[in-house]
Amino acid sequence: MTYETLLVETDGPVGIITLNRPDALNALNSKLCAELIEQLGAWDKDAGIGCVVLTGAGRAFAAGADIKEMAPRSYMDVYKADMFGAFEQAVSSFRKPIVAAVNGFALGGGCELAMLCDFILASETAKFGQPEINLGVMPGIGGTQRLTRYVGKSKAMEMCLTGRMMDAAEAERAGLVSRVLPADKLMEEAKAVAKKIASQSQPIAMMTKETVNAAYETTLRQGIMFERRLFHSMFATADQKEGMAAFVEKRPAKFSNS
Ligand code: CO8
């Protein structure tokens, strides 16, 4: 599939999407949102894809929603269109793991998009922020909620109220990113991590993602019960039998995704 705002490729079971509006620092315009929704929809249904890497071309992962496109819109325009509603829904409900490889600016909607992914690998040059307040608005694709859950109230509040950017080292200390890598190693490592994930049992990886994400939505007790029920259900899969047999027989597991 050829897109105007995305580069899409596959490397075996890994799908790689590069946001590709580098002249606008990959700002999220409606075209880009529609194309990303379409591609994720296709890969959700494609059993050949086990993990996705999302990155940005040039100096940015994404510098936010497209301000030039958004600026003239009225309240009725954005309310009726439920601006960014379908976008947030499409990424957050994607069932397979998505790794964000953040190479530069991840600001506003760009930071929110990175946080919608399952974890973030950052290059040393990455910068994260929620600068919407400088534009007379606030985060609107989940930033007030997800950033607070990632880094805690104090830092999230400071970032949303001041618009200050965090560098990669601070983002790692704060728990926003899982690891920081040299810029020239970021994609190599992101693809290696995605390949490792895609080599596991696909349904077990999907259930694991669903269960970790349940920690955001439930009480501790409900989350633990959800985990236990899904854990028990894994004993009905061929992949549990294979994974454990392979360990006992000292050989690599050969999962059948069943
Ligand atoms: N939208 C549109 N164009 C952008 C954006 C953006 N978010 N960011 C950068 N660009 C464009 C610039 O206009 C410029 O284009 P041109 O060459 O035509 O003038 C080009 O990208 C390069 O940018 P700069 O020249 O500004 O590059 P600098 O290196 O000087 O600065 C910065 C880089 C600091 C990243 C700067 O570009 C910047 O501050 N960008 C805006 C960041 C921002 O405010 N992001 C938040 C946007 S609002 C948002 O995301 C809200 C989401 C929630 C909506 C929810 C609705 C329900």
Side-chain angles (χ1 to χ4, degrees), residues 149-254:
R149 284 163 168 79
Y150 271 99
V151 305
K153 177 182 169 184
S154 189
K155 202 176 273 288
M157 191 69 92
E158 186 209 344
M159 292 193 61
C160 291
L161 288 176
T162 65
R164 175 176 82 78
M165 287 188 217
M166 250 198 263
D167 65 16
E170 183 180 358
E172 186 181 26
R173 281 199 305 276
L176 178 58
V177 311
S178 69
R179 273 189 297 144
V180 179
L181 297 149
D184 61 348
K185 292 277 178 296
L186 177 69
M187 278 313 287
E188 194 184 308
E189 184 60 16
K191 285 184 207 170
V193 168
K195 237 177 210 161
K196 173 75 183 155
I197 293 169
S199 75
Q200 312 288 10
S201 161
Q202 197 177 114
I204 300 296
M206 289 166 69
M207 287 186 215
T208 303
K209 164 173 173 156
E210 197 180 349
T211 307
V212 174
N213 280 334
Y216 281 118
E217 312 283 351
T218 59
T219 63
L220 178 61
R221 183 50 42 195
Q222 286 168 331
I224 284 169
M225 289 314 293
F226 182 68
E227 177 194 83
R228 192 174 307 155
R229 293 293 167 250
L230 273 189
F231 181 88
H232 289 161
S233 76
M234 289 169 182
F235 284 71
T237 66
D239 285 341
Q240 174 268 330
K241 298 287 172 281
E242 166 60 13
M244 294 193 181
F247 176 82
V248 174
E249 292 159 19
K250 300 189 188 299
R251 59 171 175 84
K254 211 168 169 335

Side-chain angles (χ1 to χ4, degrees), residues 23-25 27 59 63-68 70 83-84 105 107-110 112 131-132 135 138-141 165:
D23 292 346
L25 301 183
R59 294 195 291 136
D66 191 311
I67 300 167
K68 293 168 191 166
M70 215 169 24
M83 187 167 69
F84 287 104
F105 295 112
L107 302 176
E112 293 169 305
E132 289 91 339
L135 303 168
M138 67 176 185
I141 317 176
M165 287 188 217

Side-chain angles (χ1 to χ4, degrees), residues 39-183:
Q39 188 54 49
L40 289 178
W43 278 345
D44 228 357
K45 291 191 217 93
D46 182 347
I49 294 295
C51 188
V52 171
V53 175
L54 182 61
T55 191
R59 294 195 291 136
F61 176 75
D66 191 311
I67 300 167
K68 293 168 191 166
E69 186 184 69
M70 215 169 24
R73 289 191 177 153
S74 69
Y75 168 64
M76 271 300 122
D77 293 336
V78 300
Y79 177 77
K80 285 182 183 164
D82 191 21
M83 187 167 69
F84 287 104
F87 177 77
E88 196 272 345
Q89 187 59 33
V91 188
S92 63
S93 64
F94 187 69
R95 296 181 72 203
K96 296 165 192 178
I98 315 187
V99 182
V102 174
N103 46 304
F105 295 112
L107 302 176
C111 187
E112 293 169 305
L113 176 56
M115 291 190 290
L116 275 161
C117 297
D118 294 305
F119 60 93
I120 303 173
L121 296 174
S123 78
E124 286 159 348
T125 51
K127 293 229 182 315
F128 298 86
Q130 297 290 165
E132 289 91 339
I133 197 152
N134 297 324
L135 303 168
V137 289
M138 67 176 185
I141 317 176
T144 59
Q145 307 303 299
R146 289 200 176 86
L147 187 63
T148 307
R149 284 163 168 79
Y150 271 99
V151 305
K153 177 182 169 184
S154 189
K155 202 176 273 288
M157 191 69 92
E158 186 209 344
M159 292 193 61
C160 291
L161 288 176
T162 65
R164 175 176 82 78
M165 287 188 217
M166 250 198 263
D167 65 16
E170 183 180 358
E172 186 181 26
R173 281 199 305 276
L176 178 58
V177 311
S178 69
R179 273 189 297 144
V180 179
L181 297 149

